[in-house]
Every structure is written in structure tokens, then in C-alpha cells.
């Protein structure tokens, strides 16, 4: 059974420098967050256990259960690191986990050539993140603002948002309002809201 903890770990031994930087940033901004430590989130079973512990549901589950379009609970969110064909423009997209992602729909909204997934080399260069750990919090490492943050409008309808602290062995839950009003401005990345 997974245990929800408040804030950063008491013992930081065994934690990576990139993960500790996330806790330092959130704490310096006065952001409250819950934390779950778990095995690497590489399988659906692990992801489902994390979501159950946090009480998150997919957007379609919420609509089926309530008949409402938006939730004040946490929606499962995925983060996609994308680039244009020439690899001259990079994007981090936050989207509900069960929402279909069509590159042509997004490309049209941001006036970009067709998008594809960026590679591991670019992920490390711009976000200091390894595959499987992509997180909006990786933008703190993008000091030159090479990555444009894109947020699907449905993500903003949730009271809470979840993400990794740049390592997929922990998951965080914080208020969406704190992410939008404190964390993202501190990382100096102006988001573009898209509708997918």
C-alpha cells in the first residue's frame, strides 16, 4: 500500500540532485504538496496504484460517474515532450491522460510544422530529465526558455495536478492554482492554453 506524505522527504539520501532541486523550488515558493514514493512508474499497474492512492481519475471516468464536464478533483495528467520536424522548437504538453493526442490538431493551434516526440538527448539537454520522468517541473532546468509550455484547457479545470519531481520514483500532487500562479511564473515559462 502506498503512503501519502506531506512535502519533501525527511531523509534525502538516495535522492537525485534534480529531485532535491524540485523540493527546494516548491518549498521556497511556499507551495503545499503531497508526495508518494513508489517503484518506477513504467507499468500501468504502478500508475493505477499511484492514481488510486491520490484519488485521481481519468477525465472519461469522471464524466461517466458524474455526468459533468470538469472536476474539482485531480485528473490523471500526462506530460509529452515534443519538437518540430527540424528540431528547432520544443514543447512540453500537459494533457489529461486519457485524452487523444493528435499532432495535427495541436500543430494548427500553435502554428507549427507537424510535431513528433523529442529524443532523450534533447530531454536531458533542456529539462534535465530522463525518459519516463517527464514533468512540468523540468522547466525549472530550462534557463534559456528553449521549451514552450502548452497546457490543455481541461487540465486547468481540475483542482489538483499531479507530476513527477523529475524522477519517476515519486509523484507529487499540488493545487492547480499554485502551479499556475506560483510555480510556472517562478520557472519563467509563459504557458499557452490549447484545446485538444
Amino acid at each position: 500500500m502506498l503512503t501519502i506524505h506531506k512535502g519533501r522527504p525527511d531523509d534525502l539520501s538516495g535522492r537525485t540532485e534534480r529531485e532535491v532541486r524540485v523540493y527546494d523550488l516548491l518549498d521556497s515558493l511556499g507551495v503545499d504538496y503531497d508526495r508518494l514514493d513508489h517503484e518506477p512508474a513504467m507499468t500501468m499497474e504502478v500508475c493505477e496504484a499511484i492514481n488510486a492512492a491520490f484519488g485521481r481519475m481519468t477525465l472519461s471516468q469522471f464524466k461517466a460517474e458524474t455526468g459533468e464536464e470538469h472536476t474539482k478533483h485531480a485528473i490523471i495528467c500526462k506530460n509529452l515532450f515534443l519538437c518540430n520536424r527540424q528540431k528547432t522548437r520544443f514543447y512540453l504538453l500537459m494533457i489529461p491522460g486519457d485524452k487523444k493526442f493528435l499532432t495535427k490538431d495541436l500543430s494548427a493551434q500553435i502554428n507549427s510544422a507537424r510535431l513528433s516526440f523529442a529524443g532523450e538527448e534533447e530531454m536531458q539537454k533542456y529539462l534535465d530529465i530522463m525518459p519516463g520522468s517527464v514533468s512540468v517541473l523540468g522547466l525549472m532546468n530550462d534557463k534559456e526558455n528553449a521549451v514552450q509550455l502548452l497546457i490543455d484547457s481541461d487540465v486547468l479545470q481540475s483542482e489538483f495536478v499531479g507530476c513527477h519531481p523529475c524522477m519517476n520514483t515519486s509523484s507529487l500532487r499540488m493545487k492547480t492554482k499554485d502551479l499556475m500562479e506560483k510555480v510556472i511564473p517562478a520557472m519563467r515559462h509563459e504557458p499557452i492554453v490549447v484545446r485538444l
Side-chain angles (χ1 to χ4, degrees):
M1 177 147 178
L2 296 172
T3 303
I4 296 176
H5 303 276
K6 281 287 194 196
R8 72 192 295 133
D10 293 330
D11 180 7
L12 294 174
S13 60
R15 305 284 176 159
T16 65
E17 182 182 323
R18 64 174 61 107
E19 183 179 355
V20 173
R21 283 196 310 262
V22 168
Y23 302 135
D24 290 345
L25 173 66
L26 295 178
D27 293 347
S28 73
L29 298 172
V31 173
D32 290 325
Y33 57 96
D34 296 322
R35 187 189 85 255
L36 274 175
D37 297 324
H38 47 75
E39 63 182 274
M42 301 298 277
T43 67
M44 283 309 296
E45 291 79 18
V46 175
C47 293
E48 287 169 7
I50 295 165
N51 293 329
F54 273 147
R56 294 188 295 208
M57 37 175 112
T58 64
L59 190 57
S60 57
Q61 285 172 331
F62 181 78
K63 288 177 181 178
E65 286 185 22
T66 66
E68 296 178 22
E69 289 295 313
H70 303 296
T71 176
K72 290 299 181 188
H73 300 288
I75 292 177
I76 299 168
C77 188
K78 63 185 170 189
N79 296 274
L80 305 176
F81 187 49
L82 307 167
C83 64
N84 62 2
R85 187 174 298 141
Q86 299 79 14
K87 294 190 177 184
T88 56
R89 301 286 315 256
F90 295 89
Y91 305 90
L92 180 68
L93 171 65
M94 296 178 69
I95 184 172
D98 61 337
K99 199 167 201 183
K100 194 169 188 176
F101 170 63
L102 298 173
T103 59
K104 67 177 183 172
D105 292 347
L106 180 58
S107 296
Q109 287 186 54
I110 61 172
N111 297 318
S112 172
R114 192 147 181 117
L115 300 170
S116 62
F117 291 98
E120 181 177 341
E121 183 178 322
E122 291 87 10
M123 197 178 294
Q124 289 178 356
K125 176 180 178 180
Y126 296 113
L127 302 177
D128 190 25
I129 292 179
M130 301 296 291
S133 298
V134 177
S135 169
V136 64
L137 297 173
L139 292 173
M140 70 183 291
N141 302 312
D142 179 26
K143 303 296 186 193
E144 297 177 13
N145 284 72
V147 180
Q148 173 63 59
L149 175 60
L150 308 172
I151 303 176
D152 182 81
S153 58
D154 282 334
V155 171
L156 302 178
Q157 302 306 315
S158 175
E159 183 176 2
F160 295 96
V161 65
C163 59
H164 293 305
C166 297
M167 290 296 297
N168 68 356
T169 52
S170 293
S171 295
L172 306 179
R173 176 181 60 187
M174 72 185 81
K175 288 192 174 188
T176 305
K177 182 176 180 174
D178 284 342
L179 176 69
M180 297 302 294
E181 295 178 6
K182 295 180 181 179
V183 180
I184 291 173
M187 296 188 299
R188 296 179 176 87
H189 280 73
E190 186 69 32
I192 295 173
V193 177
V194 295
R195 298 180 190 281
L196 301 172

